[in-house]
Amino acid sequence: MVDHLANTEINSQRIAAVENCFGASGQPLALPGRVLLGEGILTKECRKKPKPRIFFLFNDILVYGSIIINKRKYNSQHIIPLEDVTLETLPDTLQMKNRWMIKTSKKSFVVSAASLTERKEWISHLEECIKHLLTKTGRQPCREHAAPWIPDKATDICMRCTHTKFSTLTRRHHCRKCGFVVCADCSRHRFLMPRLSPKPLRVCSLCYRQLLAEEKKEAEADRGQAEPIRSAGGYEPSSGDDSDKSDDEKAEQWPADTEFYTSAVSWSSFHS
């Protein structure tokens, strides 16, 4: 399908229509060889509540945004390179069915389709595109993924100290490392995680200690490697060579049977 549609007039028209719906707030999407394979409305499980989002699957990127007027106006455009995507099928809950997680190094989130058939179709097309891209580029699948945020309504108390109750005055916060809902006292620290952002991000107290320990371990390893070089050649190691990358610790799991969501979303079929 990709080879057949690439550089055709109908494909150019479809992409131009998507660009027009996003207007000036969106980025240009037309590139040589890029093909729009399908589109549809999925429920994205957001921090406050599940919300319908329009998704567009291209052969190299996944684009989604908020719906202002369906088929006419969208905003809040997000572009995800498919090379960075890993998929994970999730079990149904009583309130939400046909769920799966889209995991990337910068952001991970849960979506759901209106039917099992639609979920299978989405996942099948996504996996085929991802496989083709990885084969073409020779890259390995992404191994490090951002933690999905636990929805606000999943808990009324801080998931770290377990005694602070949230209210109108006591705000909920999210740790950017584990995604847990935490209080201000349990998330006073900031830590630089370049994979997620160029600025230090809010993390909970437990993740902060883990990240500091990993940073210290990496610094000690760097010093150990630099010692033979310094003694042999008399060179001082650069003060900026410490790696900021850290291996993700396995986060504590929120109970899988917790019912977080509700949804009723229509579906737009893939292009034939």
Side-chain angles (χ1 to χ4, degrees), residues 63-169:
V63 178
Y64 72 93
S66 300
I67 303 169
I68 306 302
I69 304 174
N70 194 27
K71 300 291 185 180
R72 293 182 59 187
K73 185 173 179 59
Y74 309 125
N75 65 8
S76 302
Q77 184 193 72
H78 298 267
I79 300 176
I80 303 174
L82 289 181
E83 291 175 333
D84 195 34
V85 171
T86 302
L87 306 177
E88 179 184 349
T89 303
L90 300 177
D92 292 346
T93 66
L94 292 177
Q95 296 177 326
M96 180 66 74
K97 302 183 183 301
N98 312 311
R99 304 160 66 236
W100 75 97
M101 187 182 297
I102 298 174
K103 300 190 289 186
T104 78
S105 59
K106 294 185 179 296
K107 184 176 183 178
S108 299
F109 55 92
V110 176
V111 295
S112 62
S115 71
L116 181 60
T117 299
E118 289 164 4
R119 181 179 73 172
K120 288 180 178 178
E121 191 173 30
W122 268 107
I123 291 177
S124 174
H125 282 284
L126 281 162
E127 288 180 339
E128 186 174 352
C129 290
I130 294 167
K131 181 180 178 181
H132 177 76
L133 276 174
L134 292 178
T135 301
K136 182 179 179 180
T137 61
R139 287 182 53 182
Q140 294 298 313
C142 182
R143 301 297 182 188
E144 290 185 283
H145 304 111
W149 285 17
I150 302 295
D152 283 2
K153 66 178 181 180
T155 179
D156 292 327
I157 62 172
C158 173
M159 297 174 70
R160 284 304 181 203
C161 68
T162 69
H163 61 74
T164 299
K165 286 192 173 184
F166 299 120
S167 65
T168 304
L169 298 178

Side-chain angles (χ1 to χ4, degrees), residues 5 16 45 52 56-57 64 75 120 161 191 209 225 230 255:
L5 290 175
E45 299 177 354
F56 299 95
L57 176 61
Y64 72 93
N75 65 8
K120 288 180 178 178
C161 68
F191 199 90
R209 291 194 296 270
Q225 292 176 358
R230 184 166 64 248

Side-chain angles (χ1 to χ4, degrees), residues 161-231:
C161 68
T162 69
H163 61 74
T164 299
K165 286 192 173 184
F166 299 120
S167 65
T168 304
L169 298 178
T170 305
R171 291 185 55 203
R172 291 170 168 84
H173 300 279
H174 278 82
C175 171
R176 270 56 169 183
K177 177 68 165 61
C178 67
F180 275 24
V181 184
V182 291
C183 64
D185 286 341
C186 289
S187 58
R188 293 186 178 279
H189 299 290
R190 302 291 189 276
F191 199 90
L192 181 63
M193 294 180 283
R195 179 168 54 87
L196 300 180
S197 172
K199 298 180 180 180
L201 299 175
R202 180 188 294 269
V203 293
C204 69
S205 52
L206 177 61
C207 288
Y208 182 70
R209 291 194 296 270
Q210 292 174 342
L211 289 165
L212 281 180
E214 291 168 3
E215 185 179 59
K216 180 180 178 181
K217 184 177 180 180
E218 290 175 0
E220 290 174 350
D222 288 345
R223 284 198 297 270
Q225 292 176 358
E227 281 298 330
I229 298 174
R230 184 166 64 248
S231 59

Side-chain angles (χ1 to χ4, degrees), residues 2 5-8 11-12 15 19 28-36 58-61 133 136:
V2 172
L5 290 175
N7 304 315
T8 62
N11 180 63
S12 298
I15 295 178
E19 290 180 332
L29 298 173
L31 285 178
R34 176 170 288 170
V35 175
L36 176 59
F58 295 80
N59 58 325
D60 61 336
I61 58 175
L133 276 174
K136 182 179 179 180

